[in-house]
Amino acid sequence: MSALKFAWPEGVTLEQLNARSAGTLMETLGIVFTELGDGYLRATMPVDARTHQPYGLLHGGASVVLAETLGSSAGALMAGGNAVVGLEINANHLRAVRSGIVIGTTRPVHIGRSTQVWEIRIEDEAGKPVCISRITLSVLPQPPASGC
């Protein structure tokens, strides 16, 4: 599947993206945005005690957190000042990882006015596929209310 041709909004920086993670689950898990490229956004996540399941392997839920972080962050950049929230996410876990880092890369499948779809590929340090995910986002005119 070929990625859509698009341009990130002007002036967006990795520093801004990483600053938004302060005090969130992304910071807790050590997720760091590393590259804002031509048609993709990339981030890394350590595979350690924070992201392990009881067998000492990368927890599938941690992979989904990385996938949703990438897809939602990319979607928010492309939402033209609107908010995005996840409607659905799926993940196929392909390979176990015990240590090191994993690298996630997201690319758009569909960027519309009311919905977006992003594909996320997570690989180990050797470039072998660990997880393939897809997220569908709803574009909202304003952020959802915080609190209960």
Side-chain angles (χ1 to χ4, degrees):
M1 176 180 300
S2 63
L4 293 176
K5 299 293 181 194
F6 74 99
W8 296 112
E10 217 171 293
V12 175
T13 67
L14 291 172
E15 291 77 19
Q16 291 168 332
L17 287 171
N18 284 313
R20 291 177 60 189
S21 297
T24 69
L25 179 61
M26 290 86 78
E27 181 179 60
T28 301
L29 295 184
I31 295 171
V32 176
F33 293 100
T34 59
E35 195 172 344
L36 189 63
D38 187 18
Y40 66 92
L41 176 61
R42 186 165 288 144
T44 60
M45 180 177 68
V47 180
D48 60 21
R50 294 172 289 178
T51 56
H52 279 163
Q53 42 92 309
Y55 296 125
L57 303 173
L58 175 62
H59 194 295
S63 292
V64 174
V65 170
L66 177 58
E68 183 149 359
T69 297
L70 278 161
S72 294
S73 297
L77 292 176
M78 298 307 295
N82 294 321
V84 295
V85 294
L87 291 176
E88 190 272 341
I89 189 166
N90 67 53
N92 296 101
H93 305 290
L94 308 172
R95 175 173 276 106
V97 180
R98 291 188 177 276
S99 62
I101 63 166
V102 288
I103 302 104
T105 304
T106 190
R107 289 181 169 84
V109 175
H110 165 77
I111 301 174
R113 288 180 315 188
S114 61
T115 61
Q116 298 180 13
V117 178
W118 294 82
E119 179 184 76
I120 304 94
R121 301 177 67 83
I122 300 173
E123 300 175 338
D124 64 15
E125 292 173 280
K128 294 180 181 175
V130 172
C131 178
I132 303 294
S133 183
R134 183 179 299 213
I135 188 169
T136 302
L137 303 171
S138 178
V139 180
L140 304 175
Q142 59 189 17
S146 62
C148 296

